[in-house]
Every structure is written in structure tokens, then in C-alpha cells.
Amino acid sequence: MAQGCLKCLKYTMCVVNLLCFISGTVVLGFGVYMMRFQMSSLIPSLANFNVANILLISGIIMTCISFLGFLGALKENRCFLLSFFLLLLILMLVELAAACLLLVYEGEINLVVERDLNQSLAELKTQGRNSSMLNDWDLLQNIFDCCGVHNVSDWGDKVPQSCCQKNPCPTQEPIYKTTGCLNNLRSWFEKNFLTTGISVIFICVIEVLGMCFAMTLFCHISRSGLGYKL
């Protein structure tokens, strides 16, 4: 009976890790696709933490750890299972630490974003309309339906087409978006804060279950004297 349960646990781990590996490759591919929409010129201080980079790193980590868990469970390899357990533990601790830092330094992050947006807008005004930074601003203002950092007055007398409520801008009496991008960015993060928190908790639960399964198999293999079988 116990042997049958352990076999079931072994193949469950294989299936789950195979699905995680496939999900990791999808996330990795989506991260490569999102590299087209980077806006690092607008917020250079947080350039390494944009969506594309996060997806790329997450995809690489998911594929590596899930492959290790799949191979360790399939081959009943103690070394792979122990490595899988330790990597999941480190990953969970890093996720919890990142969530705590985000909560503690939320105000400082808001100030950094506001400072970078103001600096990029000032640079754009001095560099002229042909700057590649204008494309990033157009993308930001179209996605978040906003204009400027605080409002349309940030652009002065050179308001881009992306600030118009109707695109293209009418030649007479154009109506501009009145909300600033900084305010819309804050609202977007606040709306998605609960979803992000629930997602982190759900991922941590899955990681704890993965660690429990891996350690159960590891202990069984150690008692059976199978060693580091390949």
C-alpha cells in the first residue's frame, strides 16, 4: 500500500513538474515578446524590474527548477530531489522578502517613479520631437489613457497626439486627456495589489507542497538504499 502511494506521489511530481516546465517556456517566450514594449527610458531607476525582464527571469527559473524536479522524481535521484527542495526553499524566501520590501518601500518607489518620469519628460523637451523617448511616452499614454506626469500642462505648448481623447487630434479645439500618468500608474498598481498578493500566496503554497513531496521521496529513497541512482 505504502509502495503504491509513493509511486503515485512520484508520477504526480513528474506530471506537475512537466506542466510547470511547459508553463515556464511559455512565460519565457512571452517575456521575449514583451521586450518589444520596454519603456526603460521613462523609468531608468527601475529598468531592471520591468515586466519583460521579470517574465524572462521567472521563465528561466521555472524551467530549470521544474526540470530538476521532474528528473529527480522520474529517476529517483536523491541529489536532484535535494537540489529541487533547496532551490524551492530559496525561491520562496526570495519571493517573501521581495513582497516585504515592496510593502516597506512603497513610498520611496513612488518618489523614484515620479522623479524619473519628470526627468524623462524634461529630456524629451530638450532633445526635440524626433527622440525615441517620444515613442515610449506615446505607448505609456495610450496604455494608461493619460497625459503627462501630472496633467496635460506638463507638455507645455507641444502636446503629442497620444494625449488627445480622439486620435488623431482634431485640428480645431482638441480635447486632451486630463489625468496624469503618475496617478493612473498608482491606481493600476493599487487595483492589482490584492490580485498580486493572492498570486504570491498561491505560488508559495504550491512551492511548500512541492518541497513536501520532494522530501517524502528523498526519505523513501534513502531508506530503500537506492543511493544516487541515475
Side-chain angles (χ1 to χ4, degrees):
M1 180 68 180
Q3 194 71 21
C5 290
L6 285 168
K7 273 193 173 182
C8 179
L9 181 62
K10 168 185 173 179
Y11 291 115
T12 301
M13 270 196 71
C14 289
V15 172
V16 171
N17 279 291
L18 179 61
L19 293 175
C20 288
F21 181 83
I22 295 172
S23 301
T25 55
V26 172
V27 171
L28 183 61
F30 190 62
V32 173
Y33 174 76
M34 287 295 292
M35 293 291 287
R36 300 171 53 192
F37 305 105
Q38 289 193 83
M39 293 182 287
S40 57
S41 62
L42 301 186
I43 313 175
S45 299
L46 303 179
N48 293 328
F49 301 97
N50 59 39
V51 176
N53 289 342
I54 291 173
L55 289 175
L56 284 172
I57 295 171
S58 301
I60 293 171
I61 292 174
M62 285 176 65
T63 51
C64 292
I65 293 180
S66 57
F67 179 75
L68 198 61
F70 174 82
L71 202 59
L74 184 66
K75 296 295 185 180
E76 297 183 359
N77 187 297
R78 288 193 302 169
C79 182
F80 286 171
L81 287 172
L82 185 59
S83 301
F84 176 74
F85 175 86
L86 292 175
L87 287 173
L88 273 185
L89 178 62
I90 294 171
L91 181 61
M92 187 178 67
L93 293 176
V94 170
E95 289 170 355
L96 293 175
C100 292
L101 288 173
L102 187 63
L103 287 173
V104 172
Y105 294 103
E106 182 182 1
E108 286 77 0
I109 293 173
N110 286 331
L111 292 175
V112 168
V113 172
E114 183 177 5
R115 183 197 66 199
D116 284 354
L117 287 175
N118 284 321
Q119 287 180 355
S120 64
L121 188 59
E123 289 177 10
L124 179 58
K125 289 179 180 179
T126 58
Q127 291 176 4
R129 307 290 289 183
N130 294 325
S131 172
S132 61
M133 199 180 294
L134 180 60
N135 295 328
D136 291 342
W137 269 105
D138 287 337
L139 182 61
L140 177 68
Q141 291 176 155
N142 286 323
I143 291 175
F144 290 96
D145 194 25
C146 56
C147 182
V149 180
H150 301 98
N151 50 57
V152 66
S153 63
D154 294 332
W155 287 101
D157 58 347
K158 295 182 179 179
V159 183
Q161 289 280 336
S162 56
C163 274
C164 298
Q165 289 188 4
K166 293 182 179 180
N167 205 354
C169 241
T171 55
Q172 295 180 348
E173 297 183 0
I175 302 174
Y176 297 118
K177 302 168 186 174
T178 56
T179 310
C181 292
L182 181 64
N183 185 56
N184 281 11
L185 279 169
R186 287 173 179 168
S187 300
W188 184 83
F189 280 112
E190 288 172 0
K191 287 178 183 177
N192 292 276
F193 185 78
L194 180 61
T195 305
T196 304
I198 293 173
S199 301
V200 171
I201 293 172
F202 179 72
I203 291 171
C204 287
V205 170
I206 293 176
E207 289 170 348
V208 170
L209 289 175
M211 288 189 291
C212 292
F213 290 168
M215 190 50 63
T216 302
L217 277 176
F218 177 85
C219 294
H220 167 69
I221 294 168
S222 298
R223 286 196 300 267
S224 302
L226 296 176
Y228 294 89
K229 183 181 72 173
L230 293 173

